[in-house]
Short mmCIF file of all heavy atoms in Angstrom, two decimals:
data_model
loop_
_atom_site.label_atom_id
_atom_site.label_comp_id
_atom_site.label_asym_id
_atom_site.label_seq_id
_atom_site.Cartn_x
_atom_site.Cartn_y
_atom_site.Cartn_z
N MET A 30 20.23 24.71 136.53
CA MET A 30 18.92 24.62 137.19
C MET A 30 18.23 25.98 137.18
O MET A 30 18.88 26.98 137.48
CB MET A 30 19.08 24.15 138.64
CG MET A 30 19.30 22.66 138.74
SD MET A 30 19.60 22.17 140.43
CE MET A 30 21.27 22.77 140.63
N PRO A 31 16.99 25.96 136.83
CA PRO A 31 16.29 27.26 136.75
C PRO A 31 15.93 27.79 138.12
O PRO A 31 15.53 27.04 139.01
CB PRO A 31 15.03 26.93 135.95
CG PRO A 31 14.77 25.47 136.23
CD PRO A 31 16.14 24.85 136.44
N ILE A 32 16.11 29.05 138.27
CA ILE A 32 15.69 29.71 139.51
C ILE A 32 14.52 30.62 139.18
O ILE A 32 14.62 31.47 138.31
CB ILE A 32 16.83 30.52 140.13
CG1 ILE A 32 18.00 29.60 140.48
CG2 ILE A 32 16.35 31.27 141.36
CD1 ILE A 32 19.17 30.33 141.10
N TYR A 33 13.43 30.41 139.87
CA TYR A 33 12.26 31.24 139.64
C TYR A 33 12.05 32.18 140.81
O TYR A 33 12.39 31.87 141.94
CB TYR A 33 11.01 30.37 139.45
CG TYR A 33 11.02 29.57 138.18
CD1 TYR A 33 11.23 28.19 138.21
CD2 TYR A 33 10.84 30.19 136.95
CE1 TYR A 33 11.25 27.46 137.03
CE2 TYR A 33 10.86 29.47 135.78
CZ TYR A 33 11.06 28.09 135.82
OH TYR A 33 11.11 27.37 134.68
N GLU A 34 11.50 33.32 140.46
CA GLU A 34 11.18 34.29 141.50
C GLU A 34 9.71 34.14 141.88
O GLU A 34 8.86 34.02 141.01
CB GLU A 34 11.45 35.71 141.00
CG GLU A 34 12.91 35.97 140.74
CD GLU A 34 13.14 37.41 140.30
OE1 GLU A 34 12.26 38.25 140.50
OE2 GLU A 34 14.21 37.67 139.75
N TYR A 35 9.47 34.17 143.15
CA TYR A 35 8.11 34.09 143.63
C TYR A 35 7.81 35.29 144.51
O TYR A 35 8.70 35.87 145.11
CB TYR A 35 7.89 32.81 144.44
CG TYR A 35 7.90 31.55 143.60
CD1 TYR A 35 9.09 30.89 143.34
CD2 TYR A 35 6.71 31.06 143.07
CE1 TYR A 35 9.09 29.75 142.55
CE2 TYR A 35 6.71 29.91 142.29
CZ TYR A 35 7.90 29.26 142.04
OH TYR A 35 7.93 28.13 141.28
N LYS A 36 6.55 35.62 144.54
CA LYS A 36 6.12 36.70 145.42
C LYS A 36 4.95 36.21 146.26
O LYS A 36 4.01 35.62 145.73
CB LYS A 36 5.72 37.94 144.62
CG LYS A 36 5.31 39.10 145.50
CD LYS A 36 4.99 40.34 144.65
CE LYS A 36 4.64 41.52 145.55
NZ LYS A 36 4.33 42.74 144.75
N CYS A 37 5.04 36.46 147.52
CA CYS A 37 3.98 36.04 148.43
C CYS A 37 2.81 37.02 148.35
O CYS A 37 3.00 38.24 148.40
CB CYS A 37 4.52 35.98 149.85
SG CYS A 37 3.26 35.59 151.08
N ASP A 38 1.62 36.47 148.18
CA ASP A 38 0.45 37.33 148.10
C ASP A 38 0.00 37.82 149.47
O ASP A 38 -0.80 38.73 149.59
CB ASP A 38 -0.71 36.57 147.44
CG ASP A 38 -0.51 36.47 145.95
OD1 ASP A 38 0.25 37.29 145.40
OD2 ASP A 38 -1.10 35.57 145.32
N VAL A 39 0.49 37.16 150.49
CA VAL A 39 0.03 37.50 151.84
C VAL A 39 0.86 38.65 152.42
O VAL A 39 0.34 39.67 152.84
CB VAL A 39 0.10 36.28 152.77
CG1 VAL A 39 -0.31 36.65 154.18
CG2 VAL A 39 -0.79 35.17 152.21
N CYS A 40 2.19 38.46 152.43
CA CYS A 40 3.04 39.47 153.06
C CYS A 40 3.85 40.25 152.02
O CYS A 40 4.54 41.20 152.36
CB CYS A 40 3.97 38.81 154.08
SG CYS A 40 5.22 37.75 153.37
N GLY A 41 3.76 39.82 150.78
CA GLY A 41 4.45 40.56 149.72
C GLY A 41 5.94 40.26 149.64
O GLY A 41 6.67 40.93 148.93
N HIS A 42 6.36 39.25 150.36
CA HIS A 42 7.78 38.90 150.36
C HIS A 42 8.16 38.25 149.03
O HIS A 42 7.46 37.38 148.54
CB HIS A 42 8.07 37.95 151.52
CG HIS A 42 9.51 37.54 151.60
ND1 HIS A 42 10.50 38.44 151.90
CD2 HIS A 42 10.13 36.33 151.39
CE1 HIS A 42 11.68 37.79 151.90
NE2 HIS A 42 11.48 36.52 151.58
N GLU A 43 9.25 38.73 148.47
CA GLU A 43 9.73 38.14 147.23
C GLU A 43 10.94 37.27 147.52
O GLU A 43 11.82 37.64 148.27
CB GLU A 43 10.10 39.25 146.22
CG GLU A 43 8.89 40.08 145.82
CD GLU A 43 9.29 41.17 144.83
OE1 GLU A 43 10.31 41.04 144.16
OE2 GLU A 43 8.55 42.17 144.75
N PHE A 44 10.97 36.11 146.89
CA PHE A 44 12.07 35.20 147.13
C PHE A 44 12.31 34.36 145.88
O PHE A 44 11.48 34.30 144.97
CB PHE A 44 11.78 34.30 148.33
CG PHE A 44 10.52 33.46 148.18
CD1 PHE A 44 10.59 32.14 147.78
CD2 PHE A 44 9.29 34.03 148.44
CE1 PHE A 44 9.43 31.38 147.64
CE2 PHE A 44 8.13 33.27 148.30
CZ PHE A 44 8.20 31.94 147.90
N GLU A 45 13.49 33.77 145.85
CA GLU A 45 13.85 32.93 144.72
C GLU A 45 13.84 31.47 145.15
O GLU A 45 14.16 31.14 146.28
CB GLU A 45 15.23 33.30 144.20
CG GLU A 45 15.28 34.70 143.62
CD GLU A 45 16.69 35.09 143.22
OE1 GLU A 45 17.64 34.45 143.69
OE2 GLU A 45 16.83 36.03 142.45
N GLU A 46 13.47 30.63 144.22
CA GLU A 46 13.37 29.22 144.54
C GLU A 46 13.93 28.39 143.40
O GLU A 46 13.62 28.64 142.24
CB GLU A 46 11.90 28.86 144.78
CG GLU A 46 11.70 27.45 145.29
CD GLU A 46 11.97 27.33 146.79
OE1 GLU A 46 12.11 28.36 147.46
OE2 GLU A 46 12.04 26.20 147.27
N LEU A 47 14.75 27.46 143.75
CA LEU A 47 15.23 26.51 142.74
C LEU A 47 14.10 25.54 142.41
O LEU A 47 13.50 24.95 143.29
CB LEU A 47 16.43 25.74 143.28
CG LEU A 47 17.81 26.34 143.02
CD1 LEU A 47 18.87 25.52 143.72
CD2 LEU A 47 18.10 26.40 141.54
N VAL A 48 13.84 25.42 141.14
CA VAL A 48 12.75 24.54 140.73
C VAL A 48 13.32 23.38 139.92
O VAL A 48 13.97 23.59 138.90
CB VAL A 48 11.72 25.29 139.88
CG1 VAL A 48 10.64 24.34 139.41
CG2 VAL A 48 11.11 26.43 140.70
N PHE A 49 13.09 22.19 140.39
CA PHE A 49 13.57 21.01 139.69
C PHE A 49 12.49 20.50 138.75
O PHE A 49 11.32 20.48 139.09
CB PHE A 49 13.95 19.92 140.69
CG PHE A 49 15.04 20.35 141.64
CD1 PHE A 49 14.74 20.82 142.89
CD2 PHE A 49 16.37 20.30 141.24
CE1 PHE A 49 15.74 21.22 143.76
CE2 PHE A 49 17.37 20.69 142.10
CZ PHE A 49 17.06 21.16 143.36
N SER A 50 12.95 20.10 137.59
CA SER A 50 12.06 19.59 136.54
C SER A 50 10.89 20.56 136.32
O SER A 50 11.08 21.76 136.31
CB SER A 50 11.57 18.20 136.90
OG SER A 50 10.70 18.24 138.03
N SER A 51 9.71 20.01 136.18
CA SER A 51 8.56 20.87 135.87
C SER A 51 7.57 20.84 137.01
O SER A 51 6.42 20.47 136.86
CB SER A 51 7.91 20.44 134.56
OG SER A 51 7.54 19.08 134.64
N SER A 52 8.06 21.20 138.15
CA SER A 52 7.17 21.24 139.30
C SER A 52 6.20 22.40 139.17
O SER A 52 6.58 23.51 138.85
CB SER A 52 7.99 21.41 140.58
OG SER A 52 7.13 21.58 141.68
N THR A 53 4.93 22.10 139.40
CA THR A 53 3.91 23.14 139.24
C THR A 53 3.44 23.66 140.59
O THR A 53 2.64 24.57 140.66
CB THR A 53 2.70 22.60 138.48
OG1 THR A 53 2.21 21.45 139.15
CG2 THR A 53 3.09 22.24 137.06
N GLU A 54 3.96 23.07 141.64
CA GLU A 54 3.51 23.50 142.96
C GLU A 54 4.35 24.67 143.45
O GLU A 54 5.59 24.60 143.46
CB GLU A 54 3.60 22.33 143.94
CG GLU A 54 3.11 22.71 145.35
CD GLU A 54 2.69 21.46 146.12
OE1 GLU A 54 2.52 20.41 145.52
OE2 GLU A 54 2.55 21.57 147.34
N ASN A 55 3.69 25.70 143.84
CA ASN A 55 4.41 26.86 144.33
C ASN A 55 4.99 26.58 145.71
O ASN A 55 4.34 25.95 146.54
CB ASN A 55 3.47 28.06 144.41
CG ASN A 55 3.11 28.58 143.03
OD1 ASN A 55 3.59 28.08 142.02
ND2 ASN A 55 2.26 29.58 142.99
N PRO A 56 6.18 27.05 145.94
CA PRO A 56 6.78 26.89 147.27
C PRO A 56 6.09 27.81 148.27
O PRO A 56 5.50 28.82 147.89
CB PRO A 56 8.23 27.30 147.05
CG PRO A 56 8.18 28.26 145.90
CD PRO A 56 7.06 27.78 145.02
N SER A 57 6.20 27.45 149.50
CA SER A 57 5.60 28.28 150.52
C SER A 57 6.51 29.46 150.85
O SER A 57 7.73 29.38 150.71
CB SER A 57 5.32 27.46 151.78
OG SER A 57 6.50 26.83 152.21
N CYS A 58 5.90 30.52 151.29
CA CYS A 58 6.65 31.71 151.63
C CYS A 58 7.56 31.45 152.83
O CYS A 58 7.12 30.91 153.84
CB CYS A 58 5.67 32.85 151.95
SG CYS A 58 6.47 34.34 152.55
N PRO A 59 8.82 31.77 152.73
CA PRO A 59 9.74 31.55 153.85
C PRO A 59 9.46 32.49 155.02
O PRO A 59 9.95 32.28 156.12
CB PRO A 59 11.12 31.82 153.24
CG PRO A 59 10.86 32.72 152.09
CD PRO A 59 9.50 32.35 151.56
N GLU A 60 8.70 33.52 154.75
CA GLU A 60 8.44 34.49 155.82
C GLU A 60 7.21 34.11 156.63
O GLU A 60 7.27 34.03 157.86
CB GLU A 60 8.25 35.88 155.21
CG GLU A 60 9.53 36.48 154.64
CD GLU A 60 10.53 36.83 155.75
OE1 GLU A 60 10.10 37.31 156.80
OE2 GLU A 60 11.73 36.61 155.53
N CYS A 61 6.13 33.88 155.95
CA CYS A 61 4.88 33.63 156.67
C CYS A 61 4.34 32.23 156.43
O CYS A 61 3.26 31.89 156.90
CB CYS A 61 3.83 34.68 156.29
SG CYS A 61 3.30 34.57 154.57
N LYS A 62 5.09 31.43 155.70
CA LYS A 62 4.74 30.02 155.45
C LYS A 62 3.44 29.88 154.67
O LYS A 62 2.83 28.82 154.67
CB LYS A 62 4.63 29.25 156.77
CG LYS A 62 5.80 29.48 157.71
CD LYS A 62 7.11 29.05 157.09
CE LYS A 62 8.26 29.26 158.08
NZ LYS A 62 9.56 29.01 157.43
N SER A 63 3.04 30.94 154.03
CA SER A 63 1.82 30.85 153.26
C SER A 63 2.07 30.19 151.91
O SER A 63 3.15 30.31 151.34
CB SER A 63 1.24 32.24 153.06
OG SER A 63 0.18 32.20 152.12
N LYS A 64 1.08 29.51 151.40
CA LYS A 64 1.18 28.87 150.10
C LYS A 64 0.68 29.80 148.99
O LYS A 64 0.68 29.44 147.82
CB LYS A 64 0.36 27.58 150.08
CG LYS A 64 1.07 26.41 150.74
CD LYS A 64 2.08 25.80 149.76
CE LYS A 64 2.67 24.51 150.32
NZ LYS A 64 3.65 23.91 149.38
N ASP A 65 0.22 30.96 149.40
CA ASP A 65 -0.30 31.90 148.40
C ASP A 65 0.83 32.66 147.75
O ASP A 65 1.00 33.87 147.95
CB ASP A 65 -1.28 32.88 149.08
CG ASP A 65 -2.56 32.17 149.50
OD1 ASP A 65 -2.91 31.16 148.86
OD2 ASP A 65 -3.20 32.64 150.44
N THR A 66 1.62 31.93 146.99
CA THR A 66 2.72 32.56 146.28
C THR A 66 2.48 32.43 144.80
O THR A 66 1.85 31.48 144.33
CB THR A 66 4.04 31.89 146.64
OG1 THR A 66 3.97 30.50 146.37
CG2 THR A 66 4.39 32.10 148.11
N GLU A 67 2.98 33.38 144.08
CA GLU A 67 2.82 33.32 142.64
C GLU A 67 4.17 33.51 141.96
O GLU A 67 5.00 34.30 142.42
CB GLU A 67 1.82 34.37 142.16
CG GLU A 67 2.17 35.79 142.52
CD GLU A 67 1.12 36.77 142.03
OE1 GLU A 67 -0.08 36.43 142.05
OE2 GLU A 67 1.50 37.87 141.62
N LYS A 68 4.34 32.80 140.88
CA LYS A 68 5.61 32.85 140.18
C LYS A 68 5.73 34.15 139.40
O LYS A 68 4.80 34.58 138.75
CB LYS A 68 5.72 31.67 139.21
CG LYS A 68 7.04 31.60 138.49
CD LYS A 68 7.01 30.54 137.39
CE LYS A 68 6.83 29.14 137.94
NZ LYS A 68 6.82 28.14 136.85
N GLN A 69 6.88 34.77 139.55
CA GLN A 69 7.13 35.99 138.82
C GLN A 69 7.85 35.65 137.52
O GLN A 69 8.70 34.76 137.47
CB GLN A 69 8.01 36.93 139.65
CG GLN A 69 7.45 37.25 141.02
CD GLN A 69 6.23 38.12 140.95
OE1 GLN A 69 6.31 39.28 140.59
NE2 GLN A 69 5.07 37.56 141.28
N LEU A 70 7.48 36.36 136.49
CA LEU A 70 8.19 36.15 135.24
C LEU A 70 9.58 36.71 135.37
O LEU A 70 9.78 37.82 135.84
CB LEU A 70 7.45 36.83 134.08
CG LEU A 70 6.11 36.17 133.70
CD1 LEU A 70 5.47 36.95 132.56
CD2 LEU A 70 6.32 34.73 133.29
N SER A 71 10.52 35.92 134.95
CA SER A 71 11.91 36.34 135.06
C SER A 71 12.15 37.59 134.22
O SER A 71 11.91 37.60 133.02
CB SER A 71 12.83 35.22 134.60
OG SER A 71 14.16 35.61 134.70
N SER A 72 12.62 38.62 134.88
CA SER A 72 12.77 39.90 134.19
C SER A 72 14.20 40.11 133.70
O SER A 72 14.45 40.94 132.83
CB SER A 72 12.38 41.04 135.12
OG SER A 72 13.13 40.98 136.30
N PHE A 73 15.10 39.37 134.25
CA PHE A 73 16.48 39.58 133.85
C PHE A 73 16.77 38.84 132.55
O PHE A 73 16.30 37.73 132.35
CB PHE A 73 17.47 39.14 134.94
CG PHE A 73 17.26 37.73 135.42
CD1 PHE A 73 17.81 36.66 134.73
CD2 PHE A 73 16.52 37.49 136.55
CE1 PHE A 73 17.61 35.38 135.19
CE2 PHE A 73 16.30 36.20 137.01
CZ PHE A 73 16.85 35.14 136.33
N SER A 74 17.51 39.46 131.68
CA SER A 74 17.83 38.85 130.40
C SER A 74 18.98 37.87 130.55
O SER A 74 19.91 38.09 131.32
CB SER A 74 18.21 39.92 129.38
OG SER A 74 19.37 40.60 129.80
N SER A 75 18.87 36.78 129.80
CA SER A 75 19.89 35.74 129.92
C SER A 75 21.18 36.16 129.24
O SER A 75 22.20 35.50 129.36
CB SER A 75 19.38 34.45 129.29
OG SER A 75 19.04 34.66 127.95
N GLY A 76 21.13 37.27 128.51
CA GLY A 76 22.34 37.70 127.80
C GLY A 76 23.31 38.42 128.72
O GLY A 76 24.50 38.47 128.46
N ALA A 77 22.77 38.98 129.80
CA ALA A 77 23.61 39.73 130.71
C ALA A 77 24.22 38.79 131.74
O ALA A 77 23.90 38.81 132.91
CB ALA A 77 22.80 40.82 131.40
N SER A 78 25.06 37.93 131.26
CA SER A 78 25.69 36.98 132.15
C SER A 78 26.90 37.60 132.84
O SER A 78 27.53 38.52 132.32
CB SER A 78 26.12 35.75 131.37
OG SER A 78 26.98 34.95 132.15
N SER A 79 27.20 37.08 133.99
CA SER A 79 28.36 37.60 134.73
C SER A 79 29.64 36.93 134.26
O SER A 79 30.70 37.20 134.79
CB SER A 79 28.18 37.37 136.22
OG SER A 79 28.03 35.99 136.47
N ASP A 80 29.48 36.05 133.27
CA ASP A 80 30.65 35.35 132.78
C ASP A 80 31.27 36.06 131.58
O ASP A 80 32.02 35.46 130.83
CB ASP A 80 30.29 33.92 132.38
CG ASP A 80 29.95 33.07 133.59
OD1 ASP A 80 30.47 33.38 134.67
OD2 ASP A 80 29.18 32.11 133.45
N ASP A 81 30.89 37.29 131.41
CA ASP A 81 31.45 38.04 130.29
C ASP A 81 32.96 38.14 130.43
O ASP A 81 33.46 38.43 131.52
CB ASP A 81 30.85 39.44 130.24
CG ASP A 81 29.40 39.40 129.74
OD1 ASP A 81 29.02 38.38 129.15
OD2 ASP A 81 28.69 40.37 129.96
N PRO A 82 33.66 37.90 129.34
CA PRO A 82 35.11 38.02 129.41
C PRO A 82 35.53 39.46 129.65
O PRO A 82 34.94 40.40 129.14
CB PRO A 82 35.58 37.54 128.03
CG PRO A 82 34.39 37.74 127.14
CD PRO A 82 33.18 37.53 128.02
N ILE A 83 36.53 39.60 130.45
CA ILE A 83 37.01 40.94 130.75
C ILE A 83 37.77 41.47 129.54
O ILE A 83 38.70 40.80 129.05
CB ILE A 83 37.94 40.92 131.98
CG1 ILE A 83 37.19 40.38 133.20
CG2 ILE A 83 38.50 42.32 132.25
CD1 ILE A 83 38.08 40.22 134.42
N PRO A 84 37.38 42.59 129.03
CA PRO A 84 38.08 43.15 127.87
C PRO A 84 39.54 43.45 128.21
O PRO A 84 39.84 44.02 129.25
CB PRO A 84 37.31 44.43 127.55
CG PRO A 84 36.55 44.75 128.80
CD PRO A 84 36.28 43.43 129.47
N SER A 85 40.41 43.03 127.31
CA SER A 85 41.84 43.16 127.59
C SER A 85 42.31 44.56 127.22
O SER A 85 43.13 44.73 126.33
CB SER A 85 42.62 42.10 126.82
OG SER A 85 42.35 42.21 125.44
N MET A 86 41.75 45.52 127.89
CA MET A 86 42.17 46.90 127.66
C MET A 86 43.36 47.22 128.56
O MET A 86 43.31 46.98 129.76
CB MET A 86 41.03 47.87 127.98
CG MET A 86 39.91 47.83 126.96
SD MET A 86 40.37 48.67 125.42
CE MET A 86 40.42 50.36 126.00
N PRO A 87 44.41 47.72 127.95
CA PRO A 87 45.56 48.08 128.79
C PRO A 87 45.21 49.27 129.66
O PRO A 87 44.43 50.12 129.26
CB PRO A 87 46.63 48.47 127.77
CG PRO A 87 45.87 48.86 126.54
CD PRO A 87 44.61 48.01 126.56
N PRO A 88 45.74 49.30 130.85
CA PRO A 88 45.45 50.43 131.75
C PRO A 88 45.96 51.73 131.16
O PRO A 88 47.08 51.80 130.63
CB PRO A 88 46.17 50.07 133.05
CG PRO A 88 47.23 49.09 132.63
CD PRO A 88 46.65 48.33 131.45
N SER A 89 45.14 52.73 131.23
CA SER A 89 45.56 54.01 130.70
C SER A 89 46.65 54.65 131.58
O SER A 89 46.74 54.36 132.76
CB SER A 89 44.36 54.97 130.62
OG SER A 89 43.80 55.13 131.91
N GLY A 90 47.47 55.46 130.97
CA GLY A 90 48.52 56.11 131.75
C GLY A 90 49.87 55.47 131.50
O GLY A 90 50.90 56.01 131.88
N GLY A 91 49.88 54.27 130.85
CA GLY A 91 51.15 53.62 130.60
C GLY A 91 51.75 54.10 129.28
O GLY A 91 52.04 53.31 128.39
N CYS A 92 51.94 55.35 129.16
CA CYS A 92 52.42 55.92 127.90
C CYS A 92 53.86 55.50 127.62
O CYS A 92 54.77 55.76 128.42
CB CYS A 92 52.31 57.44 127.94
SG CYS A 92 52.78 58.24 126.40
N GLY A 93 54.06 54.84 126.46
CA GLY A 93 55.41 54.47 126.08
C GLY A 93 55.90 53.22 126.77
O GLY A 93 57.04 52.83 126.62
N SER A 94 55.06 52.55 127.52
CA SER A 94 55.53 51.38 128.26
C SER A 94 55.42 50.11 127.42
O SER A 94 55.91 49.07 127.82
CB SER A 94 54.73 51.22 129.55
OG SER A 94 53.38 51.02 129.23
N SER A 95 54.75 50.22 126.26
CA SER A 95 54.56 49.02 125.47
C SER A 95 55.65 48.84 124.41
O SER A 95 55.60 47.95 123.59
CB SER A 95 53.17 49.08 124.79
OG SER A 95 53.10 50.21 123.96
N GLY A 96 56.63 49.69 124.41
CA GLY A 96 57.71 49.58 123.47
C GLY A 96 57.31 49.97 122.05
O GLY A 96 57.85 49.50 121.08
N PHE A 97 56.28 50.77 121.95
CA PHE A 97 55.84 51.18 120.64
C PHE A 97 56.78 52.25 120.07
O PHE A 97 57.03 53.28 120.69
CB PHE A 97 54.42 51.76 120.76
CG PHE A 97 53.87 52.24 119.45
CD1 PHE A 97 53.37 51.32 118.51
CD2 PHE A 97 53.81 53.60 119.16
CE1 PHE A 97 52.85 51.77 117.32
CE2 PHE A 97 53.29 54.04 117.96
CZ PHE A 97 52.81 53.13 117.03
N SER A 98 57.34 52.00 118.85
CA SER A 98 58.26 52.96 118.29
C SER A 98 57.64 53.65 117.12
O SER A 98 57.66 53.13 116.05
CB SER A 98 59.57 52.26 117.88
OG SER A 98 59.30 51.19 117.04
ZN1 ZN B 14 4.55 35.60 152.97
#
């Protein structure tokens, strides 16, 4: 589900909102309940996911512990 960022034009509060399907109606500001919110273009890149695999780097300092001859 896409999460869009919105910014309130009244109080300047920024918040994220889950948007289902192609809803064109802006959500109201959770702070001041104003409808004067505008959608922010998503600035974060989709490539920087937190699901990146952890590189299997052995911890440094284990000299000679791997049985390397
Ligand atoms: Zn507001």
